[in-house]
Amino acid sequence: MASVKLKYLSLGVLVFQTTSLVLTMRYSRTLQGEGPRYLASSAVVVAEFLKILTCVGLVFKDHSYSGRALSSILRQEILHKPIETLKLAIPSGIYTLQNNLLYVALSNLDAATYQVTYQLKIITTALFSVFMLGRRLGVFQWLSLLILMAGIALVQWPADSQSDPQKEQLTAGSQFVGLVAVLVACCSSGFAGVYFEKILKETKQSVWVRNIQLGMFGLVFGIFGMLAYDGDRVQEHGMFQGYNTLTWIVVALQALGGLVIAAVIKYADNILKGFATSLSIILSTLISYFWLEDFEPTSVFFLGTVLVIMATFLYGYESKPAPNPSRA
């Protein structure tokens, strides 16, 4: 009974995190307010800092709230193993790029289109898993990838419009920028995720310590990116320009979201993850249409969404695994 409750709690947490982050980020990037809008590069830096603090707190808890044990484990795993630590610079830099791209994508795409298109990360993750981890995909999984590509192609299919041509051209340009940002984010997500999984499998260290190492590099890369891209605006108005309650909610969701998923994923099987993804897409579509009012669904979009949801379930279908000669 407790196991069933944990499964449904996991479902609720996964749906809430994936849906709320996308919707609040989209709303915060399109909300018209007084003064300058908050800097996406600054939000990424603050999120990395919050993630480090949270992971340090979790390591502290795992070692019976002993400051000496915390200091010892951090020195041993970070300072005394520089090569192991440096290995995480690669996925960390890619994750930092990905987090910045998500802000670009949601500044140019509605939440529903973004949610569906971002499922392309299933394809990139699967392909990188095959090449980097020697994983074998079954027939259902390859079929699901083909269905997924077809579904996302339909979602991106241009809709007939009778609006002003100049405005339509501007919208098309904005959507193209958002689409490119999502595609690059999907590729970076797939590679970084598989690379990080490879490192976790090769070592026995806590995932929280590994996230501290990721966060340290992410903080450095984020600060460099912020100064390079938004340095003038930071000097003029400060790093926290345009921050409000909604901005802090977005930052907290981005910082804690991955950690929450890491904590509950052991209770969620593939079918449950498929349900979470599907519910998140449906909720994002409904809220984009009724609340944000920045999305006009079409029959082609709905068909593409159905294919994406079907592909998500099919990819998680566990058939008998094929024998893997490389692991024999």
Side-chain angles (χ1 to χ4, degrees):
M1 191 65 182
S3 176
V4 173
K5 286 182 179 179
L6 283 173
K7 277 194 172 187
Y8 284 108
L9 178 62
S10 301
L11 174 64
V13 171
L14 286 170
V15 172
F16 174 78
Q17 193 277 329
T18 52
T19 307
S20 58
L21 175 59
V22 170
L23 291 171
T24 53
M25 191 181 289
R26 168 65 179 173
Y27 186 59
S28 70
R29 298 307 290 171
T30 56
L31 182 66
Q32 299 296 326
E34 296 181 1
R37 179 175 293 160
Y38 75 92
L39 303 175
S41 57
S42 164
V44 170
V45 170
V46 177
E48 289 295 336
F49 182 70
L50 286 178
K51 185 168 74 173
I52 293 172
L53 287 182
T54 305
C55 289
V56 168
L58 289 167
V59 174
F60 184 54
K61 174 182 174 293
D62 287 345
H63 289 81
S64 304
Y65 301 100
S66 169
R68 182 176 297 178
L70 173 64
S71 176
S72 173
I73 196 72
L74 292 181
R75 277 202 314 271
Q76 180 182 342
E77 292 299 325
I78 297 175
L79 297 179
H80 296 169
K81 296 180 181 178
I83 302 300
E84 293 296 318
T85 301
L86 282 172
K87 285 181 181 178
L88 288 159
I90 296 174
S92 179
I94 295 173
Y95 277 134
T96 304
L97 171 66
Q98 175 191 334
N99 289 334
N100 279 282
L101 286 171
L102 296 187
Y103 282 97
V104 175
L106 281 164
S107 297
N108 294 280
L109 292 175
D110 59 83
T113 303
Y114 165 84
Q115 276 280 57
V116 179
T117 308
Y118 194 50
Q119 299 314 308
L120 268 175
K121 65 183 178 181
I122 295 175
I123 296 178
T124 59
T125 302
L127 294 178
F128 281 121
S129 295
V130 169
F131 292 119
M132 294 173 64
L133 299 178
R135 190 166 287 159
R136 296 285 296 271
L137 299 182
V139 175
F140 286 110
Q141 290 174 313
W142 284 115
L143 180 61
S144 73
L145 297 184
L146 293 175
I147 295 172
L148 183 63
M149 284 191 289
I152 290 174
L154 289 175
V155 166
Q156 293 298 331
W157 196 269
D160 295 329
S161 176
Q162 305 298 324
S163 61
D164 178 34
Q166 187 174 359
K167 184 179 178 182
E168 189 176 327
Q169 186 177 1
L170 184 64
T171 303
S174 178
Q175 286 182 334
F176 178 75
V177 171
L179 177 59
V180 170
V182 173
L183 293 178
V184 177
C186 287
C187 291
S188 63
S189 173
F191 176 79
V194 173
Y195 187 97
F196 189 48
E197 181 183 347
K198 192 171 191 268
I199 290 175
L200 287 176
K201 286 183 175 180
E202 291 173 351
T203 60
K204 296 181 180 180
Q205 190 44 259
S206 160
V207 68
W208 307 129
V209 173
R210 292 293 174 238
N211 272 288
I212 291 172
Q213 293 170 310
L214 276 177
M216 287 169 52
F217 285 114
L219 189 62
V220 173
F221 289 136
I223 290 172
F224 272 114
M226 180 180 67
L227 294 178
Y229 188 71
D230 294 314
D232 293 339
R233 282 181 280 185
V234 170
Q235 280 188 333
E236 186 178 355
H237 297 290
M239 177 178 170
F240 296 102
Q241 59 182 282
Y243 272 56
N244 53 31
T245 303
L246 182 61
T247 310
W248 284 109
I249 290 173
V250 172
V251 168
L253 286 170
Q254 190 175 29
L256 305 178
L259 303 179
V260 169
I261 291 175
V264 303
I265 207 72
K266 60 183 178 181
Y267 302 112
D269 54 25
N270 282 322
I271 295 176
L272 203 62
K273 284 185 280 185
F275 268 118
T277 302
S278 304
L279 285 174
S280 183
I281 290 172
I282 293 168
L283 284 173
S284 297
T285 302
L286 291 175
I287 296 174
S288 284
Y289 179 67
F290 289 108
W291 181 40
L292 299 181
E293 297 180 351
D294 61 352
F295 171 66
E296 200 67 42
T298 63
S299 56
V300 176
F301 177 88
F302 277 121
L303 177 59
T305 302
V306 169
L307 289 178
V308 169
I309 291 173
M310 185 169 66
T312 303
F313 277 103
L314 191 59
Y315 187 81
Y317 177 78
E318 295 182 0
S319 57
K320 291 183 180 179
N324 190 345
S326 65
R327 293 178 182 267

